[in-house]
């Protein structure tokens, strides 16, 4: 058995929190590569994150990956490893400019997009009410305001067409699609996308990717 065959034969375990957008990003990358994995639930918000998990991820966040004897944490590192270590369609462009744009999209999302799109708009408009808690309208308004420049930056990249083009699935798509899926669950989030035609065109194709739809975690059941 060659090196690639041995790698494929080794067990892949993904540790994550069901509702974590970053956990879903890692699952999307694995799905796109055709890699099956065992999923171990870890709630990073719990007071008692197991010490055994902290041995894998010293900061107690999610996701983390175990592939055979190799362990790895940080989402961007995990998705790049998955792309490089397994057979299947390449998720990183070979052209230098497209690869650079992919890395730029991931950085924009992590640095400027995650908090307003997910932790403010989605969490307060959708997730908290699903848990039976009240959302904070001030947080939603702040999130929508901060989302504008992020969406505008992504619109320019989508319009350029090197990545986020609706044709080639890259790690940029895996990183962005779960964020937009959550953001557009809120009516005001979906409305915020309307002024951005290239990004909307990308989303119309990305939202039906099997790697996205088949990793949908749903929402918590509203308490009676």
């Amino acid at each position: 058995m060659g090196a690639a065959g041995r790698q494929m034969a080794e067990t892949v375990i993904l540790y994550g929190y069901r509702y974590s957008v970053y956990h879903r990003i890692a699952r999307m990358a694995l799905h796109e590569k055709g890699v099956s994995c065992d999923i171990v639930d870890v709630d990073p918000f719990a007071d008692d994150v197991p010490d055994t998990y902290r041995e894998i991820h010293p900061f107690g966040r999610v996701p983390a990956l175990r592939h055979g004897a190799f362990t790895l944490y940080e989402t961007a590192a995990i998705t790049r490893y998955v792309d490089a270590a397994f057979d299947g369609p390449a998720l990183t462009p070979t052209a230098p400019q497209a690869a650079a744009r992919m890395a730029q999209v991931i950085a924009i999302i992590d640095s400027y997009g995650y908090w307003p799109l997910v932790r403010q708009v989605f969490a307060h408009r959708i997730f908290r009410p699903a848990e039976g808690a009240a959302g904070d309208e001030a947080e939603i308004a702040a999130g929508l305001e901060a989302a504008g420049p992020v969406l505008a930056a992504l619109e320019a990249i989508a319009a350029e067409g090197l990545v986020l083009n609706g044709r080639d699935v890259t790690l940029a798509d895996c990183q962005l699609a779960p964020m937009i899926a959550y953001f557009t669950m809120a009516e005001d989030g979906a409305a915020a996308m309307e002024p951005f035609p290239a990004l909307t065109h990308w989303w119309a194709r990305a939202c039906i990717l099997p790697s996205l739809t088949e990793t949908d975690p749903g929402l918590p059941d509203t308490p009676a």
Side-chain angles (χ1 to χ4, degrees), residues 32 42 114 118 136 164 186 190 193 204 206 211 213 223:
E32 290 290 340
V42 177
Y114 166 67
V118 177
D136 185 330
L164 304 183
M193 289 274 290
S211 58
T213 60

Side-chain angles (χ1 to χ4, degrees), residues 132-155:
D136 185 330
E137 290 294 331
E139 284 291 314
I140 295 167
L144 289 168
E145 182 177 2
V150 176
L151 298 176
L154 295 171
E155 168 72 12

Side-chain angles (χ1 to χ4, degrees), residues 32-56:
E32 290 290 340
K33 298 294 286 191
V35 178
S36 61
C37 67
D38 297 330
I39 294 178
V40 176
D41 292 326
V42 177
D43 185 352
F45 302 104
D47 295 330
D48 57 346
V49 175
D51 290 340
T52 52
Y53 182 65
R54 290 190 180 275
E55 292 174 2
I56 299 169

Side-chain angles (χ1 to χ4, degrees), residues 19-212:
Y19 302 112
S20 164
V21 71
Y22 283 102
H23 177 59
R24 192 176 182 185
I25 290 165
R27 289 187 67 194
M28 276 193 72
L30 288 161
H31 191 293
E32 290 290 340
K33 298 294 286 191
V35 178
S36 61
C37 67
D38 297 330
I39 294 178
V40 176
D41 292 326
V42 177
D43 185 352
F45 302 104
D47 295 330
D48 57 346
V49 175
D51 290 340
T52 52
Y53 182 65
R54 290 190 180 275
E55 292 174 2
I56 299 169
H57 195 318
F59 304 104
R61 306 291 291 275
V62 292
L65 182 84
R66 182 186 295 278
H67 180 207
F70 180 69
T71 60
L72 185 67
Y73 60 89
E74 292 303 316
T75 306
I78 290 169
T79 57
R80 283 169 171 78
Y81 174 76
V82 166
D83 190 27
F86 297 98
D87 294 333
L91 301 177
T92 300
T94 55
Q97 292 182 349
R101 282 285 188 251
M102 183 195 80
Q104 184 181 29
V105 167
I106 292 170
I108 289 170
I109 297 162
D110 285 348
S111 298
Y112 315 111
Y114 166 67
W115 194 266
L117 300 181
V118 177
R119 294 299 295 271
Q120 291 183 302
V121 175
F122 168 73
H124 287 272
R125 181 66 81 211
I126 303 296
F127 194 81
R128 289 193 179 193
E131 289 188 306
D136 185 330
E137 290 294 331
E139 284 291 314
I140 295 167
L144 289 168
E145 182 177 2
V150 176
L151 298 176
L154 295 171
E155 168 72 12
I157 292 171
E160 179 187 49
L162 293 176
V163 295
L164 304 183
N165 54 34
R167 300 186 309 274
D168 311 307
V169 177
T170 73
L171 294 179
D173 299 89
C174 295
Q175 194 87 5
L176 180 58
M179 306 271 182
I180 298 298
Y182 271 173
F183 183 63
T184 56
M185 287 180 70
E187 288 186 7
D188 31 13
M193 289 274 290
E194 292 177 1
F196 304 104
L199 194 60
T200 298
H201 174 75
W202 163 81
W203 177 235
R205 294 171 180 258
C207 72
I208 59 174
L209 286 171
S211 58
L212 183 70

